[in-house]
Amino acid sequence: MNSIWSVRLRDLFWPPQSSADSAIELHDRRYWRLLWAFAALILATTVVTPYLPMVDLPQHAAQVSMLRNFSHYATEYEINWFTPYVLGYGISYGLSFVFGVTCAIRVVVGLALGAFVITSAALVKEAG
């Protein structure tokens, strides 16, 4: 049996079909397609939902917005690069130029939740 890490990413999205596929391999392909569809549904839900159940979402949006206009606040604040949120803020900062601050944070939250589903499934499959 192949490890999940030896499978190409393209094969997870759309695995090649052959007549010699066993029922287990067919089930495995359907399982991964369902998981990727579920992760996409989670991403779409977090972007479309009017209010995410996150009390601190406005504070995170304010910090990303402040990063975008940091030249105005440089005398009052300094950037702490050792915060546990630096990866999320960095991705949100980059996406905020394309989507806007609020939508960028929603996309990052949706990607994190979808990645949790995919990596949990990969861990369960690897553990047997």
Side-chain angles (χ1 to χ4, degrees), residues 44-55:
T45 303
T46 57
V47 172
V48 173
T49 303
Y51 299 106
L52 290 177
M54 295 175 58
V55 177

Side-chain angles (χ1 to χ4, degrees), residues 3 10 17 23-24 28 51 56-57 74 77 80 103-104 109-110 113 118:
S3 169
R10 180 182 58 87
Q17 303 240 350
I24 294 173
D28 194 43
Y51 299 106
D56 59 346
L57 187 66
Y77 298 103
N80 181 8
C103 187
V109 168
L113 291 173
I118 299 297

Side-chain angles (χ1 to χ4, degrees), residues 1-75:
M1 178 185 285
N2 286 340
S3 169
I4 186 64
W5 307 115
S6 66
V7 177
R8 292 182 303 202
L9 189 60
R10 180 182 58 87
D11 293 341
L12 289 177
F13 282 112
W14 199 259
Q17 303 240 350
S18 70
S19 59
D21 287 343
S22 69
I24 294 173
E25 290 171 356
L26 182 63
H27 175 267
D28 194 43
R29 278 198 306 268
R30 288 180 180 162
Y31 173 74
W32 281 107
R33 286 180 187 166
L34 181 65
L35 283 173
W36 281 104
F38 186 63
L41 181 67
I42 289 173
L43 175 63
T45 303
T46 57
V47 172
V48 173
T49 303
Y51 299 106
L52 290 177
M54 295 175 58
V55 177
D56 59 346
L57 187 66
Q59 286 86 2
H60 293 298
Q63 289 183 1
V64 171
S65 181
M66 191 169 62
L67 281 175
R68 285 188 62 177
N69 303 308
F70 192 70
S71 61
H72 302 295
Y73 304 104
T75 58

Side-chain angles (χ1 to χ4, degrees), residues 43 87-89 91-92 95 103-113:
L43 175 63
L87 181 63
Y89 286 150
I91 296 170
S92 298
L95 289 176
C103 187
I105 294 210
R106 288 171 174 269
V107 168
V108 170
V109 168
L111 288 174
L113 291 173

